[in-house]
Amino acid sequence: MIAQLTPQYIRTRPKKAISRLISYAFFEGRPATTKGRWMNPFVLSNLKRISENKKHYKKVDKPIFILGTGRSGTTILGLVLSMHRDIGYLNEPKAIWHLIHPQEDVIGSYTKMDAYFRLSTGDVTDEISHRAHQLFGAYLSTTKTHRVVDKYPELIFRIEFVRSLFANARFILLVRNGWDTCHSIATWSERFGVTVDGETHDWWGVDNRKWNLLVEQLVNTDEELGRYVEEIKDFDRHIDRASVEWVITMREGLKNLEKFPDCILPVAFEDLTSDPIGTLNEISEFCNLPMDQTFIEYAGSILHTVPSRKTFNLHHIIEPIFYDTMKKLEYNS
C-alpha cells in the first residue's frame, strides 16, 4: 500500500492522508528493495534545492526519532503517532539523511561510496546543520505540522550526531522480543529480496553492503562478538544474521539509555500492543505532546496483542550472547 495508507486511516483524519502522501512523494525517497525507485532522482533534486534555498522555513522544535531494530514495530508506532494532530510523520526518510550526510547510506540505495553506521558530534559541520534544519523545516512548512516524527531505526547508532543537530530532540527506543524480531527480519528478507541488474537487493543491502559494514564497523568493535568476527562474517542464514543485528542494536540501545537517560524513552512493543492507551500517554508526556482524543482512539482501534513466535536454532557463536541480551531486556527466554 502507498504511504501505509488504509481506508480506516483516511476516514479517521483525511488531512493526515494528504500529509503522508506528501512525505512519501517529496521527502522520504525509495530505498533498495522497494517499489517506486524511479521517483528518487526527482526527490533528491527537490531536496537539494530546498537545502540550498536561502528561505527560512519553520523552526524544527523537539523532533521525535523512533529507534530500534527494523521489524520490531517501529513502523506501526510511527503510523500511530502520525495520527496526532500536531505531527508530520516521515517513514525512514533516507533521502533526507543522504542529503544531510552522503556517507550515511549503509544500504546502498543512493550511492556506492563509503558509508558509516556510526556518526557522532565530530561529523557535524555548519553546512550539515544548515541542511538538516532546512530539510526538516521545509517538511514542517509543507505539511503544516508542528512536530516531526522520523522513524529511522539505524539512527540508534547516531544519537550524538542527531543531538548535535537538534539539541532538544526526543528519542523513542522500541524494543521487542528477539525471537519475534529476528523471525520477522528473516521472513521479510526471504520474501522481498530481489535481483536487480545482477545485484542482490535484500535486508542486507545491495550485494550484502549493509551486512558487510555491520560486521566491519559494529561486530568488529564489540567486546564479545569481535572475537568471532571472521566466523560471523560468513553467516549466510538470514536468521543468524538477524540475531547478530538484533544483539548489536539492542546493546547499543542499552548503552545509550545509560548515557542519555533524559532524552530516550524505552518502550516495549509488547506494552504498546497490549496497553496502547497507557503506553501512548507515556510517550505523549515524554515528548510534550498535547492530549488528542482522536489519536488515542485510533491507536486503540488498530493496536492489538501479537502472538509470540516459537524459538529457533541459532548459530552456536551467537546463541549465548543472544540469550544474555534477552535477559538484560527482561524477556523470558
Side-chain angles (χ1 to χ4, degrees):
M1 70 186 71
I2 295 177
Q4 298 86 42
L5 294 178
T6 65
Q8 182 181 358
Y9 188 97
I10 296 169
R11 287 194 305 270
T12 303
R13 265 193 173 137
K15 289 184 179 180
K16 284 294 179 179
I18 296 173
S19 175
R20 280 299 304 134
L21 288 172
I22 290 172
S23 306
Y24 178 89
F26 298 102
F27 288 91
E28 293 172 355
R30 308 304 299 149
T33 72
T34 62
K35 297 179 180 179
R37 299 196 70 221
W38 58 267
M39 300 167 54
N40 285 342
F42 167 76
V43 173
L44 291 171
S45 176
N46 180 57
L47 293 176
K48 188 173 187 296
R49 179 186 57 79
I50 291 172
S51 69
E52 295 173 349
N53 198 326
K54 293 184 179 180
K55 177 180 177 180
H56 292 288
Y57 294 101
K58 202 166 189 176
K59 181 181 178 182
V60 185
D61 187 40
K62 297 179 183 176
I64 302 165
F65 298 92
I66 301 175
L67 317 174
T69 310
R71 308 304 300 170
S72 63
T74 54
T75 297
I76 191 64
L77 174 57
L79 195 65
V80 166
L81 288 174
S82 77
M83 188 55 70
H84 193 285
R85 65 175 181 268
D86 286 352
I87 281 176
Y89 170 55
L90 289 162
N91 180 43
E92 298 194 23
K94 296 181 180 181
I96 287 180
W97 285 105
H98 181 60
L99 261 293
I100 292 172
H101 196 298
Q103 290 182 290
E104 72 83 41
D105 183 12
V106 297
I107 298 293
S109 299
Y110 304 107
T111 182
K112 292 186 178 181
M113 69 189 300
D114 291 343
Y116 303 96
F117 266 93
R118 296 189 186 280
L119 294 173
S120 61
T121 301
D123 295 297
V124 175
T125 64
D126 290 342
E127 182 182 0
I128 284 174
S129 180
H130 174 75
R131 286 201 295 266
H133 282 268
Q134 284 290 96
L135 292 168
F136 281 102
Y139 173 71
L140 290 173
S141 297
T142 304
T143 56
K144 294 180 171 57
T145 50
H146 303 294
R147 302 280 297 280
V148 63
V149 168
D150 176 346
K151 187 225 56 173
Y152 188 178
E154 285 92 338
L155 290 181
I156 195 168
F157 300 103
R158 303 165 183 170
I159 288 182
E160 285 188 8
F161 179 76
V162 176
R163 277 171 51 86
S164 295
L165 296 173
F166 305 107
N168 60 1
R170 289 290 177 267
F171 301 90
I172 301 171
L173 172 61
L174 193 63
V175 301
R176 187 181 184 185
N177 184 303
W179 300 114
D180 298 338
T181 305
C182 294
H183 185 279
S184 185
I185 290 174
T187 301
W188 190 98
S189 200
E190 290 166 2
R191 183 179 175 187
F192 294 107
V194 295
T195 300
V196 179
D197 296 330
E199 295 178 334
T200 299
H201 294 188
D202 62 13
W203 187 265
W204 310 111
V206 175
D207 281 343
N208 277 324
R209 174 181 167 96
K210 174 186 170 181
W211 173 250
N212 292 334
L213 291 173
L214 187 148
V215 172
E216 293 166 9
Q217 298 177 9
L218 303 179
V219 172
N220 198 33
T221 58
D222 184 86
E223 186 175 344
E224 287 186 83
L225 293 175
R227 292 178 290 175
Y228 309 105
V229 66
E230 291 303 317
E231 294 93 332
I232 291 173
K233 181 172 61 176
D234 293 331
F235 280 4
D236 56 6
R237 289 202 312 163
H238 289 294
I239 205 73
D240 290 326
R241 288 185 172 191
S243 64
V244 172
E245 181 180 12
W246 181 80
V247 165
I248 285 287
T249 305
M250 291 298 96
R251 286 184 165 206
E252 188 75 11
L254 291 170
K255 290 176 185 175
N256 282 315
L257 279 171
E258 291 185 5
K259 194 171 184 179
F260 307 110
D262 295 334
C263 67
I264 305 177
L265 176 70
V267 173
F269 173 78
E270 293 78 11
D271 292 339
L272 177 66
T273 52
S274 64
D275 180 20
I277 295 176
T279 304
L280 287 167
N281 280 331
E282 182 182 8
I283 291 173
S284 296
E285 183 178 354
F286 177 78
C287 296
N288 301 120
L289 290 170
M291 174 57 65
D292 182 344
Q293 193 60 33
T294 300
F295 151 70
I296 292 294
E297 290 175 359
Y298 174 74
S301 70
I302 70 166
L303 291 172
H304 306 284
T305 302
V306 179
S308 295
R309 299 281 186 174
K310 294 181 179 179
T311 60
F312 42 79
N313 293 324
L314 287 171
H315 192 284
H316 68 88
I317 286 176
I318 192 65
E319 184 177 31
I321 304 172
F322 180 92
Y323 277 107
D324 180 62
T325 305
M326 287 277 286
K327 183 177 180 181
K328 287 178 178 176
L329 292 171
E330 300 182 357
Y331 285 108
N332 294 322
S333 301

